[in-house]
Amino acid sequence: IVFQIVTERSVLCRYSQNPSIPYTSMEGTFDYNFGTVHKKNFYSLVDGTYTYYVSCRNNSDTTNGVLSSSFNVITPISARVSFTMDPPLSAGLASLSVVTSKPASVPPILSYSFNGVSFSPVPLYGSNTIWQGYLLVPSSIGTAVGSFIFSGIDAEGFTGTEITSGSVFVVDTVK
């Protein structure tokens, strides 16, 4: 999230999540705080509502009022994929699990490929954030690096496609 304040005059601004903190005690400083533009980058925010209180001071140490700003963060659903056996996968049936970052409103879609072009679906069963499935590794594959693609829909109806871990896997069916 990029949080930006533009002021009419050249001032220095600070922020806090507590509305009753005076300017000198505000713990938040802007990444870019020069002249009339003040920017802060927030990383790794979890779902929720955030409220920040901003106060600015000019060169003569005069503090103007406090600005209140609120915003909501809704991150898309993502997945972690893992196999029940250690790699490399050999020929036959491979059991896997998918753990989603938040509950899925319908079963997520997971597909795999050994060539990165044609993908085959992995039927998933489970509920909430824990899903199980199987894929068949043909003995004719030899050695290869497989990959997954994912799509899931959360309770708010937002779609996510990120696989945070386990997006690739190694196959070795050579005897």
Side-chain angles (χ1 to χ4, degrees), residues 23-107:
Y23 176 85
T24 55
S25 299
M26 287 184 162
E27 68 278 2
T29 58
F30 286 83
D31 299 329
Y32 180 83
N33 199 10
F34 185 74
T36 61
V37 178
H38 317 276
K39 291 182 183 179
K40 175 66 181 174
N41 293 312
F42 291 107
Y43 299 97
S44 303
L45 296 177
V46 296
D47 288 5
T49 300
Y50 294 83
T51 300
Y52 290 96
Y53 301 92
V54 179
S55 186
C56 300
R57 178 179 273 181
N58 63 21
N59 291 340
S60 63
D61 285 339
T62 303
T63 304
N64 296 320
V66 176
L67 167 72
S68 169
S69 179
S70 296
F71 57 89
N72 290 322
V73 173
I74 301 173
T75 56
I77 190 172
S78 61
R80 290 179 289 133
V81 181
S82 60
F83 287 96
T84 56
M85 62 208 71
D86 291 332
L89 300 179
S90 55
L93 201 58
S95 174
L96 60 86
S97 68
V98 176
V99 178
T100 56
S101 60
K102 54 174 75 173
S105 62
V106 295

